[in-house]
Amino acid sequence: MLSNIGQILVFLILASSFCIIYNAYLDIKIRNQIVKKIIYNISLLQITFTILSFFTLIIGFVSSDFSLINVYENSHTTKPLFYKIAGTWGNHEGSLLLWINILVLFSFLFLIFNFKHNKKFRLYTLIFQNILIIGFIIFLLLNSNPFSLIYPVPLEGLGLNPILQDPALAIHPPLLYIGFVGCSIYFSAAMASMVTEYKGREFALSIKSWVQISWCFQTLGITVGSIWAYYELGWGGFWFWDPVENASLLPWFAITALMHSVMVLEKRNTLYAWVIILCLLTFILSVTGTFLVRSGILNSVHTFASDPSRGIYILLFLGMMIFTSLIVFFRKHKKESYSFNLKTRETFILVNNWFMAFFLVTVLIGTLYPIFLDVIMDVKISVGPPFYNIVIVPLIVPFIILMTVGPQFKWINSHNIKFYKTIFVFLGALTINLLIYYFFGSYSVLTNLIFIVAIFLILQCFFDAKQSLYKNKKSEYPRIISHLGFGLLVLCIGVNHQYSLEVDFNLKVGENKKVNNYEIYFENIKIEQKKNYHSVTGNFKLTDLKKNLVQYLDPEIRVYSNPETLTYEAAIKSKITSDFYLTMSNVARSEYYNIKFQNKPFMIWIWISAFIIALGGFVQLVLKKNEN
Amino acid sequence: MKIIFLFIIYVLLSTHLYTSENQAVLLEIYKNLRCLVCQGQSIADSNSDFAATIKLVVQDQINIGKNKDEIYSFLISKYGEWIVYQPTFSKSNLLLWILPYFIFIAGGLIILVIVRKSKDNKTN
Amino acid sequence: MKINISKIIIFIFVGFFLLIFWLGLKKDNNYDTKNIIGNKIDSFQLSSIYSNKFISEEILKENKFTLINFFASWCAPCRAEHEYLLNLSNNSKDIKILGINFKDKKNNAISFLNELGDPYDSVGYDNDGKISISFGIYGIPESILVDHNLIVIKKIIGPIDQNQYNEILELVE
């Protein structure tokens, strides 16, 4: 029953897409500025069908309707309700339906909210977006249908991976998808802009909010994903330069560059070609990321169950997208003349784009190189954190300096900024760094530089904030907030990296281990049977010998039976100043347990700074709304 | 007696220092090694049996005085380049290390060109 | 659209990328350590599980071919391949089999061999698994075929099946 409803709804979405394209095409020929009512109506129907189809799948999960293969493979009657619902998008087919939902949602919202803009442009955007929607629906129907039936109907499901039963992970996909599926709309808008020659400032205004929204949610999505990795995966880290993580970071670099470039297009009516390229590139990167993650071409801790047949379809789709956009771009591209004054904001935004391009290319090369080497030379290598740290981190130093100095300049006309003020702030940063170095322990030259420039950025942002509040220049608030967040993030990660304590040792029950000024005593093991797993919890007494404080940490090993897996739950005590992190795993065929103990300063501040970065973007949206 | 006592304290202290420095090197090596039976985890992060064995082997090698590069070479000869996360500086990896900087320089040149052209446009 | 060289280059680049992706899909993702083929075995020393005697790489020089098989009593797939090991030891004169008991208890290993039959000419004991690392082992069962010059001729990951059994016989002739 549900399967039929779901299938019919999906077909209805497909049908409405065709209807929209047909009607839009007809309406384009009518030379007025009013979009025909029927197009609005069909769009409304389309979004209704889409949301209903998603609800249908959710109902399937909640009611444990195992006649649907998707529910059977990814759910279980004993799973808690919240995770049954989250299970809807925690698998390949369901998440694909979520993609389609967001594609349709943005299509609808763009149509509605951009009523001030050129009609032909809006209609062509709608057409291109619906072509994308059709592409994804065909993929869904032919290859990854969440409404496929299974017969005979099994009595029990195969259960969802227990690692995925976590609140942070439940909201991570929706957040991330609004980010990198949301960028589909400005891909379509870019295509439409080229075809209708609706350029310059007006085009910038039409996509500005959409770029902003996708940027905010992409930032949030990545942050929440890292928080999940830290609390759930049990290795104490939050970023591993894993291909799947990189797949979400690549669009982020592009969207950040785009967000800044759109400002230049709006204010100076220049960089149009570059903005178009970025709009196209962002969604192309999203789809490439999806390809890497879902096709099984890469080996990762995060991948969905892989299936090469999916890969071929996505690759085809990707190829068509890239070639079409290239052809349209080459046909319509007209040379621009640039008239940048050197000491202006727009020049520094160009510099931002330059660095973003570098970061993007580095991460892209690092992720793709193993594939290329494997195919061409049959050699398998790994590219991991050391590569990215060596290549990227040194260049963060000039990047942050430019990021601090750049916004001091104004738009359009060259002004000499008051250098002495900036030098004063820089000296302040130097001093603070020296104090940290003196009181807390020495570190390398590179780390010194990172601390100095990060503090420089933070201090400058505070001064800028004071200025803006005084002059009531609201338009500066978002930039100050986000840049402050970024400086804070770099500083916290630097401090965390430098002053983390990490030890790995084996311990038996009743044994003691002394590490620096901590003493860890393995008190006992508690074995319990929980709802759907067997729990082995270790009780550890942690004594801080310097401060004479005692804490208890209880890491857990969970033995699940459906499916048969082991997970390791870390014991984490998060405080304002630092986190304690303890994981325990059983050494096979022995009474010993392998213990990993970490003391990680400023962990919470890392998350807070990432949220501050996103906050700046949201403030920008609110300000724009108040403007209107 | 006092001397023996002081000597024992000295040895204990220095092994403690030695161990904590060693711990740092060990950890660095563990983080650079890939767990071959896991889906994308380092030896430091993995709880697998294989990781436990590799840790023992690395500890042995450190104790007989081998340095990081020798350990990596040894493991690469047994398991291939896949086992280290930092790609080697070899001919086959040349592009990997050079291309990002190449693009950076190229980007810089493009910006210079744009700024130059802008200056020309101004004077015209 | 004017067709000039830079546009053609861009199209070729994109085509190249897509081609590599497509080929990459067809490649097997699971890593194997077959790269040790052609390399020489490191010297080693193991105690036998039966006696206090020591087994070293010298023993490999005595035979034209030796199959080094890594196993344990707690390993289920090891049981599956045991039949092929017994066949090899009984039927082939040119090949000897060295067993290396991996991370096991001696008593359990001996019971295992008593139960299923002992195809090995000698069995070494690798308690903590460290010696196996020097052979490039990462799981069990795994087998390495070496000649009397200690050069690795073949590496088998996982239990030996009929195909690999035939291949071993061919290589040994």
Side-chain angles (χ1 to χ4, degrees), chain A residues 138-153:
Chain A
I138 294 181
F139 178 33
L140 185 110
L141 287 173
L142 289 181
N143 183 289
S144 316
N145 195 335
F147 296 111
S148 305
L149 285 172
I150 183 171
Y151 191 80
V153 179

Side-chain angles (χ1 to χ4, degrees), chain A residues 410-421:
Chain A
K410 301 205 211 289
W411 294 100
I412 305 174
N413 290 317
S414 265
H415 275 123
N416 280 316
I417 60 168
K418 303 194 171 94
F419 257 117
Y420 65 87
K421 278 194 183 170

Side-chain angles (χ1 to χ4, degrees), chain A residues 235 299-301 338 340-341 350 354 358 362 365 369 380-382 384 386 391 502 504 568 585 589 594 596, chain B residues 27 31-32 34 39 44-47 49 55 82 84-86 92-93 99-101 104 107-108 111 118 121:
Chain A
W235 47 285
N299 186 299
S300 154
V301 100
Y338 299 109
F340 285 91
N341 284 315
L350 265 184
W354 173 36
F358 168 72
T362 307
I365 292 178
Y369 200 78
K380 284 190 158 80
I381 65 165
S382 297
V391 177
E502 227 178 300
D504 180 319
Y568 303 95
S585 69
R589 301 172 295 281
N594 180 242
K596 295 184 221 200
Chain B
L27 210 59
K31 285 189 173 176
N32 195 23
R34 184 178 205 137
Q39 283 254 66
D45 305 330
S46 164
N47 292 315
D49 210 32
K55 282 187 208 171
W82 213 54
V84 282
Y85 273 120
Q86 182 178 323
S92 58
N93 293 337
L99 212 52
Y101 293 116
F104 186 68
I111 299 225
S118 299
N121 282 342

Side-chain angles (χ1 to χ4, degrees), chain A residues 210-227:
Chain A
W210 307 99
V211 176
Q212 194 69 61
I213 292 175
S214 63
W215 182 85
C216 289
F217 281 95
Q218 185 80 357
T219 311
L220 280 179
I222 295 177
T223 308
V224 171
S226 297
I227 293 179

